[in-house]
Amino acid sequence: MKTTNARAAVIIGAALLSACAGAQPALAPDAGAFRLSLGSVPRSGALRDPAVPAPNGGKSWMLPTATSCGYNGKLPPCGLLYVTNYHADDVLVFQNDKLVGTLTGFKGPDGICTDRHGDVWIVNNLGQNVVEYAHGGTSPLKTLGDPGYYPLGCAVNPRTGALVVTNVFSTASGPGNIAIYHKTTGPPLVLNDPNVFYYFFCGFDAESNLYVDGLNTSETFRFLELLRGQHTFKNLTLDGTLYYPGAVAWDGQHVDVGDQRYHNEIASAVYQTTGQKIVGTTLLTGAQDVVGYWVGSGSLIGPDANLNDVSLYQYPAGGEPTLSVGDFDKPYGAAVSVAR
């Protein structure tokens, strides 16, 4: 069931990182320090509310689950649904809207993505690393360090299996970047673009071209394309205004881009694009801050960081959710893993 707790106003800047250690946020004395002033948006990652409950200190667990797709019209459409629970420092796992597991030991789990084998990569934002789990597994397969940055989103190249991580900004209050882990090993190839300060989310199309969204120092939405095999980004201009970057995903036909502040309101939507032109809009009725959604099988699964729930929508129709599951603590990312 949806809850109606209001969101606290948030101003984020590179200087607010003291909150990660439990201190009250304070603005930097540097007059040039960048800060986001979209007051009602609870930013993704790298800033912990000092009043949140203690993190989950229990052990990871997973119930035996069916390996086939026994879809009954509930969450998820097929496979296991992984949801990052940022403030609780854990990841909850569902099958057909029933909790079947919990992964623990994180520090601000944020973005999440899966590879072609069904393995799950979890972006450990405050832990400054990315952790891999097998489908249905409870122990990490691999951990890739990302020191000096706060990783936020991830995507796996469908052709090569390379892992791409978006670093929202640096621990030294500098701009973020894109880290590419070829063969999912480090150190990564690091890329950036002078027109982007904060790097939010990334996603590949079917041809392994990479798309990245973010913000520049003027609080303006930016959208980048990295063609397969290239090392220099192309800045794209969508024929519409996006206010706060959401997840980037491939729906089988279009590059989808989320907006956490649709029409600059407390609302969320997902745009279908050709990379440069917006060709459709999925409005998530009643949603207030859908961050890292998942798209597939005619469905969209949207974790709402304000309502603290995860909802299932018809895709691309959108509208009212067909099902919602509550009792999360800042769910930022969602991904479905299917065993292969």
Side-chain angles (χ1 to χ4, degrees), residues 37-198:
S37 56
L38 299 175
S40 59
V41 176
R43 75 290 151 260
S44 292
L47 178 63
R48 180 189 296 278
D49 180 347
V52 300
N56 187 339
K59 292 183 178 180
S60 297
W61 62 274
M62 192 79 63
L63 296 177
T65 57
T67 57
S68 60
C69 297
Y71 181 41
N72 63 1
K74 297 183 178 181
L75 289 168
C78 176
L80 296 177
L81 170 65
Y82 290 73
V83 180
T84 56
N85 212 18
Y86 190 87
H87 275 177
D89 288 334
D90 59 24
V91 176
L92 304 183
V93 185
F94 294 82
Q95 185 171 51
N96 288 335
D97 85 338
K98 302 299 183 184
L99 182 67
V100 296
T102 301
L103 303 179
T104 64
F106 302 99
K107 293 182 180 179
D110 201 320
I112 187 170
C113 57
T114 60
D115 66 16
R116 54 196 172 188
H117 304 295
D119 292 347
V120 180
W121 287 96
I122 297 165
V123 178
N124 196 23
N125 180 248
L126 300 180
Q128 299 175 43
N129 57 35
V130 189
V131 187
E132 180 187 23
Y133 286 81
H135 172 93
T138 57
S139 298
L141 296 177
K142 183 182 296 184
T143 299
L144 298 176
D146 192 24
Y149 290 91
Y150 291 100
L152 192 149
C154 67
V156 177
N157 189 316
R159 289 175 179 255
T160 68
L163 176 71
V164 177
V165 176
T166 50
N167 287 314
V168 61
F169 57 94
S170 78
T171 58
S173 302
N177 57 35
I178 301 296
I180 302 175
Y181 295 86
H182 293 289
K183 298 183 179 180
T184 64
T185 59
L189 170 67
V190 176
L191 303 176
N192 51 40
D193 185 273
N195 296 299
V196 177
F197 191 93
Y198 283 89

Side-chain angles (χ1 to χ4, degrees), residues 208-247:
S208 291
N209 301 312
L210 178 68
Y211 295 85
V212 180
D213 63 9
L215 293 168
N216 64 15
T217 54
S218 298
E219 304 181 13
T220 302
F221 178 88
R222 305 299 302 181
F223 196 43
L224 304 177
E225 178 186 43
L226 185 67
L227 295 177
R228 186 179 70 193
Q230 301 295 310
H231 290 167
T232 301
F233 289 100
K234 177 181 179 181
N235 281 253
L236 303 178
T237 302
L238 294 173
D239 58 341
T241 302
L242 280 77
Y243 290 91
Y244 203 89

